[in-house]
Amino acid sequence: MTVLQKKAHNPIGHLSPEDIEQIGVELDAIRQSVIDTRGADDAAYIRKVIATQRKLELGSRAVLLVSMFPPAWVVGTAGLAVAKIIENMEIGHNVMHGQWDWMRDPKIHSTTWEWDNASPSEQWKHSHNELHHTYTNVIGKDNDLGYGIMRVDEDQRWVPLYAAQPLWNFVNACFFEYGIAAYDLELGKNLATKERRQDPDFRARAKVTLKKIRNQMTKDYVIHPLLSGPSFLSTLGANATANLIRNLWTHSVIMCGHFPEGVETFERRSIVGETRGEWYLRQMLGSANISGSKAMHFMTGNLSFQIEHHLFPDLPSNRYQQIAPQVQDLFRRYGLTYTTGSLPRQVASAWKKVFRLSLPNGALRRGRGATVTDLPAGAPAREHAAA
């Protein structure tokens, strides 16, 4: 964590090595308490969510068969968008994390689930579970940090191309499922040289991804519209709109969890020899939450509890809200900042940072005062205010 020593206000400067390892011990205890109490209620929860999502999607697609009528188009499109968000966020993302593997149900298992997304599940699990959650917010190691196309820290050298990163970020948001597929493939790096383009492993993975994209597009833009007969064009538009809404929502939620002001980034050298307690601390400092209603938490796949998710990515998502007060108390007792805010605040904060870092450092000095400051030991956690 020595990289944080460069900050004007080092957020962990008051912690001793013993404090950091004790934080790890206490977080391990919280995790074990959930593992020890997983059971029938949790299993019933995820099965009910899956059943409800499937009924919503089927019903919405049925309504869209007569989408030539505007009310049917609106109802069907809204229902399909919500169904796709639930499938991606609360079901697919969390099932593929292995959160429900303890049930031993092959239908709800990380090794068998394939989601409604352009990125094949196996490739996503590698880039997300193995890389992102291991190297959270480590520049050059975590592709989820800026998606490989944005400047994410003042210490990154600025080049003129970064001036356009607000545009790249908006385009990425609109086509987010394809952006995920691209950086799961590390497309920029693997297309850079002839040797990489011809690498058998890359070509095999690219073939799998193209097949997945073809299947997704055939389902949404060929089969379902054709089944609608006279409503072909309106159903086609409805499916495109539902996918756009899902992409924008997912992108916003993920940006809120990783990119608002107050979230730390780390250099590669800072994780050399990292202990269990230091890994936990990096998750705490490198994540942010979204405050809101139970409905909002559900629609984010409980990634509104991004701090808890990064600490315990394999725990059932419906338990994050339950353990959040314990985690927040840990932050208070050790004088750390529990970065949280409403959805509008966090979205605004993340986008402000995108714009701020698109400029050379000399042009953004005036904006540096917006970051969250450290809490004194025992002080309450607070929401940060994005300008």
Side-chain angles (χ1 to χ4, degrees):
M1 294 290 180
T2 55
V3 67
L4 296 180
Q5 302 294 338
K6 297 190 300 182
K7 297 180 70 69
H9 299 284
N10 177 13
I12 61 169
H14 59 288
L15 298 177
S16 68
E18 291 75 22
D19 289 332
I20 294 173
E21 295 315 304
Q22 182 59 31
I23 287 172
V25 170
E26 294 191 43
L27 288 170
D28 277 339
I30 293 173
R31 180 178 183 275
Q32 191 61 45
S33 70
V34 176
I35 291 174
D36 291 343
T37 56
R38 291 181 307 198
D41 289 345
D42 300 295
Y45 168 81
I46 189 60
R47 290 193 171 106
K48 181 179 180 180
V49 170
I50 292 172
T52 301
Q53 186 277 332
R54 288 175 176 170
K55 290 175 183 175
L56 178 59
E57 180 174 358
L58 182 61
S60 299
R61 290 192 182 277
V63 170
L64 287 173
L65 295 177
V66 291
S67 59
M68 66 177 69
F69 302 107
W73 190 92
V74 171
V75 172
T77 302
L80 185 59
V82 171
K84 282 177 171 285
I85 288 170
I86 295 171
E87 197 285 331
N88 272 195
M89 305 295 281
E90 180 65 350
I91 303 174
H93 171 272
N94 295 329
V95 169
M96 291 191 297
H97 258 299
Q99 293 180 7
W100 307 99
D101 286 1
W102 58 274
M103 293 167 57
R104 302 292 190 268
D105 184 341
K107 296 180 180 179
I108 315 174
H109 200 276
S110 62
T111 59
T112 60
W113 192 270
E114 188 57 67
W115 61 345
D116 179 60
N117 201 287
S119 183
S121 61
E122 286 303 318
Q123 294 188 29
W124 181 87
K125 284 187 289 186
H126 170 70
S127 64
H128 186 82
N129 296 359
E130 297 176 25
L131 298 182
H132 168 59
H133 276 271
T134 300
Y135 301 110
T136 304
N137 282 26
V138 177
I139 297 172
K141 297 285 284 184
D142 179 7
N143 280 345
D144 276 28
L145 183 61
Y147 315 120
I149 60 174
M150 294 194 298
R151 184 172 182 245
V152 296
D153 188 270
E154 287 90 341
D155 287 336
Q156 284 181 275
R157 184 173 65 89
W158 184 87
V159 296
L161 184 63
Y162 286 131
Q165 76 177 27
L167 174 62
W168 307 143
N169 195 44
F170 176 72
V171 172
N172 187 42
C174 293
F175 300 95
F176 194 47
E177 63 177 310
Y178 303 105
I180 293 172
Y183 66 74
D184 284 352
L185 284 172
E186 296 182 286
L187 205 57
K189 181 180 75 174
N190 285 316
L191 292 180
T193 66
K194 182 178 180 180
E195 182 181 3
R196 287 186 178 276
R197 290 193 297 271
Q198 294 181 344
D199 179 74
D201 178 65
F202 168 67
R203 293 171 69 89
R205 291 189 294 115
K207 184 177 180 180
V208 172
T209 299
L210 289 173
K211 180 180 179 181
K212 181 70 188 297
I213 291 173
R214 183 176 66 248
N215 290 343
Q216 291 293 116
M217 297 189 76
T218 299
K219 177 188 70 174
D220 278 343
Y221 303 130
V222 179
I223 295 176
H224 187 212
L226 283 175
L227 290 173
S228 299
S231 298
F232 176 88
L233 290 179
S234 55
T235 299
L236 182 68
N239 284 332
T241 301
N243 282 329
L244 175 63
I245 293 170
R246 184 267 311 275
N247 288 340
L248 290 172
W249 175 260
T250 305
H251 179 271
S252 294
V253 170
I254 293 174
M255 284 278 289
C256 288
H258 298 93
F259 213 60
E261 300 287 1
V263 173
E264 305 290 350
T265 54
F266 307 89
E267 292 181 343
R268 293 189 187 201
R269 65 181 180 181
S270 71
I271 63 170
V272 175
E274 190 175 58
T275 66
R276 175 71 167 170
E278 289 171 338
W279 180 88
Y280 269 136
L281 193 58
R282 179 159 53 84
Q283 310 311 309
M284 296 163 75
L285 298 172
S287 308
N289 282 10
I290 308 170
S291 59
S293 66
K294 287 187 176 181
M296 190 280 297
H297 293 314
F298 176 73
M299 290 301 293
T300 68
N302 282 290
L303 292 182
S304 47
F305 297 102
Q306 189 72 235
I307 295 171
E308 288 73 21
H309 172 63
H310 265 271
L311 291 170
F312 313 115
D314 60 345
L315 292 187
S317 58
N318 61 312
R319 294 297 198 98
Y320 290 147
Q321 188 167 14
Q322 172 191 328
I323 63 174
Q326 300 174 61
V327 174
Q328 189 167 337
D329 178 65
L330 190 72
F331 273 76
R332 286 195 185 100
R333 288 189 286 107
Y334 285 92
L336 299 169
T337 300
Y338 190 89
T339 304
T340 187
S342 67
L343 182 62
R345 274 185 173 181
Q346 298 294 63
V347 170
S349 178
W351 273 99
K352 176 183 176 181
K353 194 171 183 181
V354 170
F355 277 91
R356 180 166 64 82
L357 293 176
S358 70
L359 303 174
N361 284 351
L364 53 80
R365 297 297 181 189
R366 292 187 300 274
R368 285 193 171 186
T371 56
V372 179
T373 56
D374 303 328
L375 290 178
R382 59 180 174 83
E383 294 186 355
H384 78 273

